[in-house]
Amino acid sequence: MKRALVLNGGGSRGAYEIGAWQALAELGVRFDGVYGTSIGALNATLVAQGDLDRAVKLWSNITVGKIMAVEDEDDFAIESMIHRKRDVVPFLMENAKHLRMDISPLEALVRENLDEGRVRASGMRLGVMTTKAPQLSGAPVWLSQMKPGSLGDWVIASASCFPIFPARHIDGQRYIDGGYYDNLPIDMALSDGMDEVVAVELHPYHSHPEYARMPWLKTIKPPRGLGGFLDFNPDLLRRSRLLGYYDAMKKWGRLEGFLYTFRRAGDLAAAGSARRYMRRLTAFDGEIIRRGVMRAGQPVNAPLMAALERECEGRTLSWKDVWLRGLELCAEAMGFRVDAVYDADALLKRCRAFCQAQEFSEKFDDAGLQAVQKKGDRMLFAFLYQRLASGEGFPPEALKRLSEAPGVVAGAMLLGSVE
């Protein structure tokens, strides 16, 4: 059996792939081939090179100035300029002829970090996806087809995000970013004889939904977006790398969770809490449906269950999954960071201590709920928990207001269901 690693294109989000690779290396997962598009092509080459330390160092120090020539990195914010179109054209006109950025820093970065001799000596299959211009036809190229000394040119061609970056000329042909044809070259790996594929996505959705449920494919992907395409904020890159590591560990069962990350906990204890929790959720949603409560002019259909299932991609949930999602709704209501690993009991203890420490003068009616909502999700979470802890339920007249914050309500119910 031959296993492939396939890496997505996505600019600065590529830090996530390095975190996933760190986890896979720690887990002892080995690959016979690696294939990538755009930034995934650069990372794929580092994988073939077998130089994880160099990859981590590169992504720990990369800036927009190491990708393209800009006068002031602090003022460079092309992502936000896209939403202010009047600023885009003057900026590009000022920085590059014919609206092309100067990517000489990227070329220097590639030359500095890629060791073609080491890649060729590794014996690993390497594939890079590019796109021919102006035909816009896919042009997959394998290391075995590249002329000696040309690997760096093909990596840059794959990452030439036209029209911001210039096209790359190789042997008389113009090439641009491979993402214009296939941003996650799974087909390239399959055509190369690979039997199993581990794909690392840089978006919450599947680039190839037709393969999403195939038994030969494992997909590591973030549950939510990783930030802007050219956002090289060091804190964001560190966060992306951590999330890649955690999500890979979840895929192999070493950690667990959907949006958040938890150390593994016992299934039996979780199942008991999950059953009590589910009874509260279904009772609330059942009352919402029975009373025909409306929100924003539309019928509300089981709002708490919808909040619970939001990060689960429609999969059938186990009792453990229900419990984990409840924990995540607690963490989300409290504003906890997603780039951390939590112990479930410690998280619940923190939540309960915060909730018990709050003092409220508001009554549990529509006006009181509205007043507490204005204080933010944390305070509403504590207010609802205190009500549940007192043994009182939610009065019918509060249902409409509560249905407008289903995640906070469902989180409070989980905290109130754990013994």
Side-chain angles (χ1 to χ4, degrees), residues 131-367:
T131 304
K132 288 183 179 180
Q135 301 94 323
L136 292 184
S137 58
V141 59
W142 284 263
L143 180 66
S144 59
Q145 300 170 334
M146 300 176 190
K147 292 181 179 179
S150 69
L151 175 58
D153 289 317
W154 286 108
V155 169
I156 293 169
S158 182
S160 292
C161 185
F162 186 86
I164 299 174
F165 294 177
R168 192 74 176 179
H169 292 257
I170 302 176
D171 295 334
Q173 172 67 52
R174 295 170 67 219
Y175 296 93
I176 60 176
D177 197 299
Y180 284 103
Y181 182 77
D182 189 351
N183 208 31
L184 186 70
I186 292 174
D187 289 327
M188 195 176 182
L190 297 177
S191 69
D192 210 19
M194 298 293 151
D195 305 295
E196 298 178 2
V197 172
V198 176
V200 184
E201 295 267 17
L202 297 179
H203 311 280
Y205 53 82
H206 290 280
S207 297
H208 286 280
E210 69 274 19
Y211 295 146
R213 299 181 184 276
M214 292 296 102
W216 44 263
L217 176 66
K218 276 193 174 183
T219 302
I220 301 165
K221 67 182 183 67
R224 294 188 182 174
L226 295 172
F229 174 75
L230 290 175
D231 190 345
F232 289 91
N233 179 289
D235 291 334
L236 181 63
L237 297 182
R238 173 189 169 277
R239 176 182 180 274
S240 293
R241 201 169 77 244
L242 282 173
L243 293 177
Y245 178 89
Y246 297 153
D247 289 342
M249 284 295 189
K250 290 177 195 177
K251 183 61 66 171
W252 263 260
R254 298 299 181 88
L255 297 170
E256 54 191 2
F258 295 87
L259 177 61
Y260 285 80
T261 304
F262 300 95
R263 296 183 181 88
R264 290 195 62 83
D267 291 359
L268 289 177
S273 296
R275 285 182 168 84
R276 290 191 296 275
Y277 179 44
M278 187 59 69
R279 284 194 292 271
R280 284 185 165 177
L281 293 183
T282 54
F284 182 97
D285 282 349
E287 192 66 11
I288 287 282
I289 294 169
R290 188 179 72 81
R291 291 177 175 271
V293 174
M294 306 288 286
R295 182 178 61 183
Q298 297 294 325
V300 175
N301 183 23
L304 302 196
M305 290 302 299
L308 187 78
E309 296 174 350
R310 189 177 60 218
E311 308 293 341
C312 304
E313 292 193 295
R315 85 184 204 189
T316 301
L317 302 184
S318 67
W319 286 112
K320 181 69 168 293
D321 292 334
V322 169
W323 182 71
L324 287 170
R325 279 298 295 140
L327 286 175
E328 293 186 337
L329 291 169
C330 287
E332 200 167 4
M334 290 286 292
F336 290 167
R337 302 170 62 109
V338 296
D339 56 342
V341 180
Y342 295 93
D343 174 82
D345 290 338
L347 183 145
L348 290 168
K349 185 176 180 180
R350 285 177 61 187
C351 291
R352 191 175 290 109
F354 172 82
C355 291
Q356 291 172 344
Q358 307 312 307
E359 295 183 1
F360 298 99
S361 59
E362 294 85 357
K363 294 181 179 180
F364 204 93
D365 55 19
D366 193 71

Side-chain angles (χ1 to χ4, degrees), residues 116-131:
E116 184 171 334
R118 187 170 169 180
V119 173
R120 291 185 183 276
S122 72
M124 184 180 289
R125 297 285 292 173
L126 171 65
V128 170
M129 178 59 69
T130 67
T131 304

Side-chain angles (χ1 to χ4, degrees), residues 39 57-64 66-67 109 232 237:
I39 199 64
K57 182 178 179 181
L58 186 158
W59 279 98
S60 297
N61 296 284
I62 198 167
T63 65
V64 70
K66 293 182 180 180
I67 301 297
L109 185 77
F232 289 91
L237 297 182

